[in-house]
Amino acid sequence: MIVRLTVDGLEHAADVDPATSLTTLLRDELGVIAVKNACEQGECGSCSVLLDGMLVCACLVLGAQADGRDVTTVEGLADGEQLHPVQEAFVETGAVQCGFCTPGLVVAAADLLERTPDPTDDEIREALSGNLCRCTGYEKIFDAVRLAARDGWG
Ligand code: FES
Ligand code: FES
C-alpha cells in the first residue's frame, strides 16, 4: 500500500507492506536513520518520535497508521542550523556517550518541556521512564533536561 506522510517537514510517499512498522518505514524506506531501532517491543524508547505532536514508539505504530500524518524526529526539532534547547543542553552537559538512546531521549524530553516547562525531578523521571540508557547513569540526562528547562523555557 502507498503511505504518504510528512517527516520533519518533508513530504514522502512509500509503497509498504501493511504490516511494516513506522520504524521500518522511516529507516529502511525513507532513510531516516535518526530513529533508532533496538527492542522493537516498546520497551526502550530508542525509536521515540512525535506523530501529529504525540509521543509514540515508532516500533509500536504501523507505517500505515502514519498515512496523512506528520512525524517529527530528533532531526526535525532543530530550526535549521539552530539546535533545539534540549539538543543544546545534551551537548553542553555531556549527556551523550554511545548516543544510541539520545535521539529518543531528546524527543521525549522536548515533549515533556512542551507540556511541563518547569518539571520536577519526579516529572522528568516519569517522562523519561520509557527511554533506556545503558551508558550514562541518567544523571547527566537529568542535568540536560534541567538546563533546557532553565534556558529554553524558563
Ligand atoms: S525500538 Fe521501539 S521501544 Fe525499543
Ligand atoms: S548513551 Fe549509550 S545508551 Fe545512552
Side-chain angles (χ1 to χ4, degrees), residues 95-102 105 132-138 141:
V96 181
Q97 288 191 25
C98 82
F100 200 87
C101 67
T102 308
L105 271 162
L132 304 184
C133 174
R134 290 182 178 272
C135 304
T136 65
Y138 297 98
I141 291 169

Side-chain angles (χ1 to χ4, degrees), residues 65-150:
Q65 290 175 291
D67 189 41
R69 301 174 75 180
D70 284 317
V71 175
T72 303
T73 76
V74 67
E75 294 183 353
L77 295 177
D79 182 9
E81 295 293 303
Q82 179 64 48
L83 292 179
H84 186 280
V86 172
Q87 295 170 322
E88 294 265 21
F90 267 65
V91 173
E92 199 163 321
T93 59
V96 181
Q97 288 191 25
C98 82
F100 200 87
C101 67
T102 308
L105 271 162
V106 169
V107 171
D111 176 65
L112 165 67
L113 294 178
E114 281 296 331
R115 292 180 287 106
T116 309
D118 186 20
T120 64
D121 281 358
D122 280 349
E123 287 170 326
I124 297 172
R125 194 171 293 109
E126 170 71 23
L128 302 186
S129 62
N131 293 78
L132 304 184
C133 174
R134 290 182 178 272
C135 304
T136 65
Y138 297 98
E139 196 49 50
K140 291 192 174 186
I141 291 169
F142 271 58
D143 288 346
V145 178
R146 293 186 197 108
L147 178 63
R150 201 168 66 233

Side-chain angles (χ1 to χ4, degrees), residues 28-90:
D28 297 354
E29 299 294 332
L30 305 182
V32 184
I33 57 173
V35 178
K36 300 304 178 196
N37 189 18
C39 71
E40 296 188 88
Q41 296 179 357
E43 299 287 345
C44 73
S46 61
C47 62
S48 300
V49 297
L50 301 176
L51 182 61
D52 285 347
M54 178 178 294
L55 184 68
V56 297
C57 291
C59 69
L60 297 183
V61 176
L62 292 173
Q65 290 175 291
D67 189 41
R69 301 174 75 180
D70 284 317
V71 175
T72 303
T73 76
V74 67
E75 294 183 353
L77 295 177
D79 182 9
E81 295 293 303
Q82 179 64 48
L83 292 179
H84 186 280
V86 172
Q87 295 170 322
E88 294 265 21
F90 267 65

